[in-house]
Amino acid sequence: MRELSFEGTTVRFGSGRSALTAVDGVDLTVPAGSVVGLVGESGSGKSTLAKAAVGLVPTTSGEIRLDGAPLRTRRDRRRLQLVFQDPHASLDPRMTVGESIAEALRGRRRSARAAEVARLLELVDLDPARARSLPSGLSGGQRQRVALARALAAEPEVVLADEITSALDVSVQGSVLNLVRDLQRRLGLTILFISHNLSVVRYVSDVIAVMYLGRIVEAGPADAVLSSPRHPYTRTLLDAAPAFGVALDDPVPADDPRLDTEAPSPHDPPTGCRFHRRCPIGPLTRPERTICAETDPQPGAPDRPHRSACHFASETLTLEVPAR
Amino acid sequence: MTTTPVTPPTAPVTPSAAPATSAVAAWVGNPWARFLLRRTGRLLVSLAVLVTLAFLMIHLIPGDPVRAALGVTAPPDLVEARREALGLNDPIGVQLADYVRALFAGDLGTSMTSGVSVSETIGQRLPATASLAVAAFVVVMLAAVPLGLAMAVLTRGGRRRGAELGFTSTSAVGAAIPEFLLAVGLVFVFGVTLGWFPVAGRGDAASYVLPVVALALGPALLMARIVRVEALAVMDEDFVRTARAKRLPPLRVHLRHVFPNALTSTLTIGGLLLSGMIVGTVLVENVFAWPGMGMTIVSSILAKDYPVVQGIVLVYGAAVLLVNLVVDVLLALADPRSTIREG
Amino acid sequence: MGRDQWRAALRNPVGAAAAGLLVLLAVLAVVAPILWGDAAEETDPAALSQGSTSEHPLGTDALGRDIMLRVLVATRYSLGLALLATAICVVAGVLLGVLPAVLGRRAGRLVTGTVNLAVAFPGLLLALFFAVIFGVGARGAVLAIGLAGAPSFARLVQTNVAAVSGRDFVAAARLAGVGRFRLVARHLLPNIGEPLVVNATVMAGSALLAFAGLSFLGLGVQPPAYDWGRLLGEGLDRIYINPAAALAPGVAVVVAGLAFTLLGESIAQVVGVRAVRRRRPPVGDQAAAAAAAGSAPETPGDTVLVADDLRVGFPAPRGGWTYPVDGVGLTVRPGETVGIVGESGSGKSLTALAVAQLAPDTADVTAARLEVAGVEPRGRPESEVRELLGTKVAMVFQDPMTSFNPSMRVGTQLAEVTRVHEGQGRRAALARAVDRLRTVRVPAPERRAHQYPHEFSGGMRQRAMVAMGLMSTPELIIADEPTTALDVTVQRQVLRLLKDVQAETGAAVVLISHDIAVVAQLCERVVVMYAGRVVEELPVGQLGAAAHPYTRALLASVPDLATDRERPLATIPGRPPDPADRPEGCAFAPRCAFADDACRVRPGLAAVAPEQRAACWHPRSQPLDLVLDVLSGGRS
């Protein structure tokens, strides 16, 4: 297993007025043998980043490296394997489970292939006899296990898991998460685990990176990021996560009605700090903080705690809560 | 017919540079302007391809087209003279340039058999064809859209299985009968047996009835089927459920929420059908001895009168491209999301 | 498409008739020229251009040849040429259609552009063009019709290939290192096979007709050879003398063309959506299950919603009926917030739609008792129900992106409610719409009311949806997964908005969600559904003491921000049962650790604690651990 690193990765789609910078100069390292959780809302660019890594979308600039060596050819990129969100769409409905997995195996004899497919199915807690089933005969959770087995069949250096539990029912989501955690520990996998769900990311990750409008706004050890977030967006995400024992009436900073604005468009991101129009400690609540609307905090991020893209990252984020 | 010279769009001439840049910038920034610019560009490319193909047609024919037209018994001098007159002995690039230049001047060449100017022939024949196609198109739209919508409303959610089966099978059969066979049937029933309508030639309104019906029936049934299917698909959309949740009367749900959203595909199909009907006139004209371009192109192909064929193919092709342009503009107007304008 | 589907296509009467006709034509094509080939060439100078006689039933042509025999013999030539043209068309079309997927981006775009340009021209025009190039005659016509059809077939292949290419399994195969050609052969072509077969069949029909057209014009088959089109052209000249000479070949063409087209259509129908029949289920079906039905709890005083033994059935594809909602009892008091929790397929959304009288047309809704906002909707005409419920029940749907009419301004869509139900004028209704948008804190409501839905973000659209419900003063707001499509920060805003609206208007709220944590945040009471039934209902504060094993498993299997990362998550083995194939007795039993023989009998809802009822033979009584303690403590 190796280390995956993004260096200034930028992905831009379209041109003219419809142009969209989905990923904007992302620096992120996934250390060998660890799980990095990437969390963000829809449109934050987290899935695009994964697709750029495996070459499904072209990068506009920046470098993606495996152990320092840039990934250039298709062969290079095969050392990364992506597991997709929807297991109903990611398996060919006309191929048996065994055929789908075998396709990813390289240079083996037929008999060796069958044995390897059986081994992989067992690895993901499926009956090897399932190799002859068509995907339509499997449940969502089982399909997602097959998708994981196929990814592992290619003997990847890094696995990218893109919202792999979002399409599953809540009652099977847990078993897939258990499997991911278990596989990672047994095989020492390097995983970039992408999800919009902070609780899910927290459960599997060693490191958490938070993405907002194409940029990583905070990254650090999972416990540290969750217990003392350094970016107000992370704080907002934490406060919004529905949890038992947290009532809607318990106000959080982001509930301030002054922040009740339209979400910014990724086609036309705000100037300065991209979060300033929704920020509970930004210019909307503290008019003296004009710097947020004027100066991009991204360049100073590496020197701040948790590489936070916030001018006020060192400020303690325990804030007074606005009266309702 | 005279061909209007196509002038390429030119930048507006402005006295000073600075306002010009901002005017151009504003113009380029306007999505409508960009849409029209792009769409016009596409039309020009298509026209160029059409003209090139019409020109190449005569060169793609295996052997010597002049010899083929004049027959094996024609003396070699005559063939050579005709080749020279048609410019076939020049290098192909020169020929193409001459052809395009003549086209801009409205000159489509001269018939090899009658010696009459091709543009003059087309000018005489075009009105007959155009009036037939337009009349049939109007009939299609007036009949098919209300019929399709009504059938969708009546048969939604698996209601009135009998009516649905009747409509789908009748329309499938009707739409599959080609116009020229229908024409023959109509001639037999209404011309020969009943003697209600004239069966040949173009004259008063009565002479239009059978050709228009022959041309319009199939497309009208097809259109009605498509309108029904589209409307049924829209009825399954979430926003129609919203409209029902608002407890709106069914008529309002259908007219305000369903129909406008089924319009896009109706327009697209309508355009395709009109294109098809323009060319479909070829067969119908030959059944009814209708003095239009369709009669002319068939006799010219049989007589190997290539300049006439070239000219008529150009006119049909240009008409089709024009219809497509109009449909695209209408689609852009009808769709508030203006995906067409953007894409 | 499986063998079963082919069989189904042939079982369909239209498909069967078309297939039978094609078999007959094939036999004719083989046999007719052998039997009557010579007789059809025989000229009879004594019977030139005759009408129908006993010797020549359909008359004779100008040379005295028998027209009936000629029509029969022409079957082989007509069909053969049409199939040849179809083959050319399909081969050229598939090649052109697949090329963009194999070629690089730039070359692929060029091919696509060329095809798009060619498709704009009607097939007949292309056929005439090619007929000029390839020359008048059968060979030229085959090439012309084949090539003229190729662009539209190519376009079809391209569209289908593009649709399949965009799916994840193709991307996954690419990532697994599958090469371009194998990708086309193994993943793309097999998955577009059905539409191609259907269209090739229909194409054969149109090729036949096109060929007849060209021959009729004199551009196709040349004498002495003859096909149906040629016979038709010759016959038309004498239609006054002998109509049969024109009509017979015409009928032959139509019949053969239809056979292909209808076979294609019936295959398409079988491949596509099976049409559902609208029928009533037999009464016995329901009576059998009614014994153990969930009834609404006995609640004194007024209610805003009462459903007792609610069932929603659909005709099953293989006959019989399935009941996604199978005996649900539900009571909501005025001003109460009730959450319905369940996985996909639990029937929670359908329950909501059914009580709101919005179930799909094909559904059969029955209930022992149903009262919505004081109205008993059953047995009343639709228009009366609309009038009665129009201002009393508001709905908020899951996907704000698709729940607004894309071609109508947002303000107009809101104003419509007041205009229809309260007869207000356009201006006054729009003013109220703006006011309501302001109530739900949509910024700049005057401007927003004039925008189209696509100009709103998801969160703003969901607010507008809530505002739409507030156009009148609802007694009941039913929100079906209102935040599932939204980001978590927006979800909080929408939930808070619902809470505020509830507090201000006093309306009761029914919130449907798969996320028990979301429900716990907003609601006072939770109803847990599994496999079309209510398995437990309890006050939110008592979730820590949930009694049904399913409720408990649901609570424990979802990680939250306090879950112990060192311990595996609780899981529920297996999967929820299909409504068509539910186990007897307790539907959860096959996945339940506590199930025993008693669970083969369906449990009814029974009180396990004050205000708490569970449908379980073995209700759990010990409290759940960790966060839930915080919950019950923090709430009370």
Side-chain angles (χ1 to χ4, degrees):
Chain A
M1 287 291 162
R2 319 254 182 129
E3 176 182 282
L4 172 71
S5 57
F6 297 87
E7 287 170 21
T9 302
T10 298
V11 179
R12 212 167 278 141
F13 296 119
S15 60
R17 263 167 34 124
S18 60
L20 165 70
T21 306
V23 175
D24 189 7
V26 161
D27 293 317
L28 180 67
T29 301
V30 186
S34 73
V35 183
V36 171
L38 183 60
V39 70
E41 294 177 307
S42 57
S44 61
K46 54 193 192 305
S47 289
T48 307
L49 188 68
K51 287 189 175 138
V54 296
L56 285 178
V57 297
T59 52
T60 310
S61 62
E63 204 77 78
I64 301 171
R65 297 172 192 272
L66 203 54
D67 262 2
L71 294 169
R72 297 211 194 281
T73 61
R74 273 170 56 106
R75 183 178 292 266
D76 288 346
R77 301 210 188 258
R78 275 196 60 188
R79 295 155 69 195
L80 310 180
Q81 281 296 317
L82 178 64
V83 184
F84 293 84
Q85 169 171 359
D86 184 0
H88 296 265
S90 67
L91 295 174
D92 189 332
R94 281 163 204 275
M95 277 172 120
T96 64
V97 162
E99 286 172 325
S100 277
I101 297 175
E103 221 175 30
L105 295 170
R106 276 165 296 179
R108 281 173 219 256
R109 287 168 188 282
R110 184 174 284 258
S111 57
R113 278 184 180 217
E116 182 64 9
V117 167
R119 188 187 73 83
L120 286 163
L121 283 173
E122 267 175 359
L123 197 62
V124 297
D125 297 338
L126 282 178
D127 182 355
R130 286 285 186 191
R132 287 189 299 275
S133 314
L134 283 173
S136 54
L138 304 182
S139 71
Q142 289 171 326
R143 286 185 213 205
Q144 202 57 294
R145 288 165 193 270
V146 173
L148 270 169
R150 175 179 55 194
L152 295 176
E155 295 170 21
E157 312 280 1
V158 180
V159 174
L160 301 106
D162 185 8
E163 298 271 14
I164 57 169
T165 60
S166 311
L168 302 180
D169 264 323
V170 281
S171 69
V172 288
Q173 170 180 301
S175 63
V176 171
L177 285 178
N178 284 345
L179 176 67
V180 167
R181 225 181 48 144
D182 182 48
L183 282 176
Q184 196 271 330
R185 291 189 183 172
R186 261 159 61 200
L187 309 177
L189 297 177
T190 308
I191 300 179
L192 180 62
F193 189 92
I194 297 167
S195 175
H196 68 283
N197 186 330
L198 199 51
S199 305
V200 166
V201 164
R202 170 188 168 277
Y203 184 70
V204 292
S205 306
D206 307 312
V207 171
I208 288 181
V210 182
M211 215 166 163
Y212 183 75
L213 276 186
R215 291 179 171 180
I216 305 272
V217 293
E218 174 164 8
D223 290 330
V225 168
L226 295 174
S227 59
S228 54
R230 289 294 168 181
H231 195 285
Y233 176 61
T234 314
R235 171 90 253 169
T236 305
L237 277 182
L238 280 165
D239 287 340
F244 297 105
V246 183
L248 281 173
D249 293 333
D250 305 340
V252 300
D255 290 340
D256 193 316
R258 285 173 291 184
L259 304 175
D260 240 343
T261 55
E262 180 70 282
S265 155
H267 291 279
D268 181 23
T271 54
C273 171
R274 296 189 163 193
F275 189 58
H276 81 258
R277 286 195 222 144
R278 291 174 66 193
C279 181
I281 58 165
L284 286 186
T285 58
R286 304 182 187 189
E288 73 281 6
R289 292 191 164 173
T290 50
I291 182 175
C292 300
E294 287 158 6
T295 313
D296 187 351
Q298 196 75 36
D303 305 325
R304 300 199 194 99
H306 299 176
R307 291 173 47 218
S308 168
C310 175
H311 296 295
F312 303 96
S314 39
E315 197 171 285
T316 327
L317 280 166
T318 47
L319 313 146
E320 81 276 22
V321 160
R324 295 223 307 148
Chain B
M1 191 195 98
T2 51
T3 314
T4 345
V6 183
T7 40
T10 46
V13 184
T14 38
S16 67
T21 2
S22 65
V24 168
W27 202 70
V28 169
N30 178 349
W32 265 106
R34 281 186 304 126
F35 163 71
L36 287 176
L37 198 68
R38 203 180 46 238
R39 194 57 191 76
T40 315
R42 219 172 84 198
L43 179 72
L44 290 178
V45 170
S46 308
L47 274 177
V49 172
L50 177 68
V51 167
T52 314
L53 284 177
F55 165 77
L56 282 179
M57 187 163 74
I58 206 165
H59 296 272
L60 290 171
I61 297 164
D64 183 352
V66 175
R67 166 64 68 191
L70 296 179
V72 279
T73 54
D77 325 349
L78 180 62
V79 172
E80 193 49 40
R82 191 58 73 81
R83 285 188 62 87
E84 194 59 43
L86 286 170
L88 287 176
N89 292 336
D90 297 334
I92 194 145
V94 175
Q95 286 188 46
L96 179 61
D98 286 345
Y99 182 74
V100 173
R101 200 174 302 127
L103 208 57
F104 274 102
D107 175 12
L108 288 169
T110 315
S111 163
M112 278 159 79
T113 50
S114 67
V116 181
S117 144
V118 174
S119 4
E120 200 175 304
T121 311
I122 290 175
Q124 283 167 1
R125 300 298 182 115
L126 182 63
T129 297
S131 60
L132 191 57
V134 169
F137 180 68
V138 170
V139 168
V140 167
M141 294 312 266
L142 289 183
V145 173
L147 178 65
L149 281 180
M151 286 314 294
V153 171
L154 291 177
T155 61
R156 69 186 188 280
R159 286 164 209 229
R160 296 189 183 80
R161 293 278 299 168
E164 188 194 349
L165 200 68
F167 174 75
T168 48
S169 44
T170 318
S171 58
V173 171
I177 298 178
E179 57 278 73
F180 69 101
L181 288 174
L182 186 63
V184 172
L186 290 173
V187 165
F188 173 67
V189 175
F190 295 99
V192 178
T193 314
L194 298 171
W196 290 358
F197 298 105
V199 298
R202 177 186 181 217
D204 56 355
S207 71
Y208 273 83
V209 173
L210 293 185
V212 166
V213 170
L215 200 52
L217 190 73
L221 289 173
L222 190 67
M223 184 83 177
R225 276 169 78 84
I226 288 163
V227 169
R228 172 176 169 269
V229 169
E230 287 299 328
L232 284 177
V234 175
M235 283 177 194
D236 278 342
E237 300 261 3
D238 286 353
F239 63 80
V240 175
R241 188 179 57 188
T242 306
R244 285 173 61 216
K246 287 195 276 185
R247 317 286 166 185
L248 302 179
L251 191 67
R252 193 181 177 90
V253 173
H254 296 137
L255 290 184
R256 291 283 281 159
H257 294 274
V258 175
F259 178 58
N261 290 293
L263 190 67
T264 315
S265 41
T266 308
L267 267 174
T268 315
I269 306 292
L272 283 176
L273 287 179
L274 180 56
S275 303
M277 272 151 60
I278 290 174
V279 183
T281 53
V282 171
L283 285 153
V284 172
E285 285 180 11
N286 277 279
V287 175
F288 292 99
W290 193 262
M293 296 195 302
M295 288 277 279
T296 317
I297 193 174
V298 171
S299 56
S300 304
I301 292 176
L302 290 171
K304 301 197 164 60
D305 190 350
Y306 297 117
V308 179
V309 176
Q310 255 181 349
I312 295 181
V313 163
L314 263 184
V315 174
Y316 279 132
V320 166
L321 291 177
L322 206 66
V323 167
N324 288 347
L325 177 73
V326 171
V327 167
D328 279 1
V329 172
L330 288 179
L331 282 176
L333 279 171
D335 185 3
R337 282 161 297 182
S338 61
T339 40
I340 292 185
R341 277 182 273 158
E342 290 296 326
Chain C
M1 128 171 215
R3 194 172 297 154
D4 289 350
Q5 284 174 306
W6 286 109
R7 276 205 206 115
L10 295 181
R11 262 204 301 275
N12 161 343
V14 180
L21 214 54
L22 284 181
V23 171
L24 187 74
L25 284 171
V27 171
L28 254 182
V30 174
V31 173
I34 302 171
L35 292 183
W36 307 301
D38 298 333
E41 296 290 340
E42 224 167 77
T43 55
D44 183 357
L48 299 181
S49 299
Q50 272 188 341
S52 172
T53 60
S54 59
E55 202 179 333
H56 306 290
L58 298 180
T60 55
D61 68 2
L63 296 176
R65 293 175 292 202
D66 184 88
I67 287 179
M68 187 177 82
L69 291 183
R70 286 175 73 77
V71 170
L72 291 175
V73 172
T75 308
R76 179 187 283 185
Y77 207 36
S78 305
L79 285 186
L81 292 175
L83 291 179
L84 209 57
T86 308
I88 292 176
C89 163
V90 169
V91 169
V94 168
L95 280 180
L96 278 175
V98 167
L99 263 182
V102 181
L103 294 173
R105 213 164 281 209
R106 194 171 293 236
R109 209 174 286 168
L110 188 71
V111 174
T112 315
T114 313
V115 167
N116 282 346
L117 181 62
V119 161
F121 297 104
L124 182 61
L125 185 61
L126 296 179
L128 287 177
F129 177 82
F130 286 122
V132 172
I133 292 174
F134 297 121
V136 168
R139 194 181 58 103
V142 165
L143 284 168
I145 288 170
L147 292 180
S152 54
F153 208 83
R155 167 75 151 270
L156 182 92
V157 176
Q158 277 175 5
T159 322
N160 280 291
V161 162
V164 176
S165 302
R167 295 185 49 192
D168 285 346
F169 70 82
V170 175
R174 221 172 255 152
L175 296 183
V178 175
R180 294 173 185 187
F181 291 96
R182 190 180 150 82
L183 200 68
V184 167
R186 285 303 307 263
H187 293 278
L188 296 181
L189 286 180
N191 280 295
I192 64 169
E194 291 156 14
L196 292 197
V197 169
V198 168
N199 281 283
T201 316
V202 175
M203 176 67 210
S206 34
L208 189 94
L209 299 174
F211 222 102
L214 279 193
S215 286
F216 163 74
L217 291 176
L219 304 176
V221 172
Q222 298 298 316
Y226 56 97
D227 67 344
W228 289 330
R230 180 104 222 146
L231 292 176
L232 178 73
E234 291 167 0
L236 185 63
D237 298 336
R238 298 180 297 118
I239 192 162
Y240 279 99
I241 309 160
N242 179 18
L247 295 182
V251 168
V253 172
V254 171
V255 167
L258 273 180
F260 282 111
T261 312
L262 293 182
L263 182 66
E265 296 228 342
S266 25
I267 298 174
Q269 250 174 23
V270 170
V271 174
V273 190
R274 188 188 295 268
V276 275
R277 267 184 220 138
R278 192 181 161 79
R279 281 179 287 129
R280 296 280 138 207
V283 181
D285 261 25
Q286 300 159 34
S295 63
E298 301 290 321
T299 40
D302 56 346
T303 52
V304 70
L305 172 67
V306 185
D308 201 348
D309 190 19
L310 178 75
R311 285 168 203 280
V312 184
F314 288 93
R318 295 191 181 273
W321 284 74
T322 56
Y323 289 88
V325 176
D326 192 14
V328 166
L330 189 64
T331 304
V332 180
R333 290 178 220 104
E336 195 185 17
T337 46
V338 176
I340 304 182
V341 184
E343 297 176 79
S344 57
S346 64
K348 55 189 191 303
S349 290
L350 201 53
T351 300
L353 288 177
V355 299
Q357 303 297 303
L358 292 171
D361 279 330
T362 44
D364 181 70
V365 181
T366 60
R369 186 173 162 218
L370 184 61
E371 252 181 64
V372 188
V375 178
E376 163 76 62
R378 293 174 313 150
R380 288 172 192 268
E382 247 180 81
S383 56
E384 201 180 318
V385 173
R386 272 203 309 276
E387 223 158 89
L388 289 171
L389 295 186
T391 56
K392 290 184 174 170
V393 180
M395 300 287 299
V396 181
F397 293 112
Q398 170 169 358
D399 191 350
M401 296 297 169
T402 56
S403 292
F404 274 98
N405 182 343
S407 62
M408 218 166 147
R409 292 174 205 278
V410 171
T412 319
Q413 297 193 50
L414 264 65
E416 207 177 23
V417 179
T418 333
R419 296 192 62 196
V420 167
H421 293 296
E422 296 175 28
Q424 283 197 356
R426 181 186 299 264
R427 194 174 286 268
L430 193 63
R432 188 189 292 186
V434 170
D435 178 66
R436 293 303 187 266
L437 285 174
R438 188 176 293 117
T439 308
V440 299
R441 296 198 295 277
V442 168
E446 290 86 0
R447 185 171 59 84
R448 293 307 221 148
H450 286 98
Q451 287 183 330
Y452 285 99
H454 73 271
E455 294 169 90
F456 278 54
S457 68
M460 284 300 156
R461 257 189 255 191
Q462 204 59 306
R463 288 180 188 208
M465 189 59 113
V466 175
M468 193 187 287
L470 296 180
M471 287 301 287
S472 39
T473 42
E475 292 173 23
L476 174 63
I477 300 172
I478 299 177
D480 182 5
E481 301 262 14
T483 60
T484 306
L486 303 177
D487 285 323
V488 61
T489 53
V490 184
Q491 164 170 291
R492 183 176 168 89
Q493 294 171 348
V494 170
L495 290 176
R496 279 168 55 88
L497 176 67
L498 279 173
K499 188 150 202 156
D500 289 352
V501 162
Q502 196 263 342
E504 277 160 33
T505 63
V509 173
V510 173
L511 174 76
I512 291 140
S513 178
H514 66 282
D515 189 341
I516 199 164
V518 164
V519 165
Q521 279 195 308
L522 185 72
C523 300
E524 300 157 51
R525 205 149 58 82
V526 181
V527 173
V528 182
M529 282 187 69
Y530 184 79
R533 294 164 198 164
V534 174
V535 294
E536 183 161 14
E537 60 179 359
L538 70 174
V540 154
Q542 270 162 251
L543 272 176
H548 197 286
Y550 176 65
T551 314
R552 297 166 69 89
L554 214 51
L555 285 163
S557 65
V558 182
D560 71 5
L561 287 171
T563 307
D564 184 353
R565 298 176 48 189
E566 295 311 311
R567 293 214 323 230
L569 292 166
T571 59
I572 311 175
R575 63 206 272 196
D578 191 83
D581 166 41
R582 266 183 213 137
E584 292 277 310
C586 173
F588 187 62
R591 303 174 74 185
C592 181
F594 309 104
D596 59 18
D597 283 351
C599 303
R600 288 204 202 126
V601 178
R602 185 166 159 187
L605 275 176
V608 292
E611 292 188 75
Q612 181 178 5
R613 304 196 303 161
C616 181
W617 296 119
H618 309 291
R620 305 284 100 195
S621 54
Q622 70 274 40
L624 283 159
D625 55 352
L626 58 232
V627 249
L628 292 165
D629 297 333
V630 181
L631 173 78
S632 39
R635 283 284 169 140
S636 47

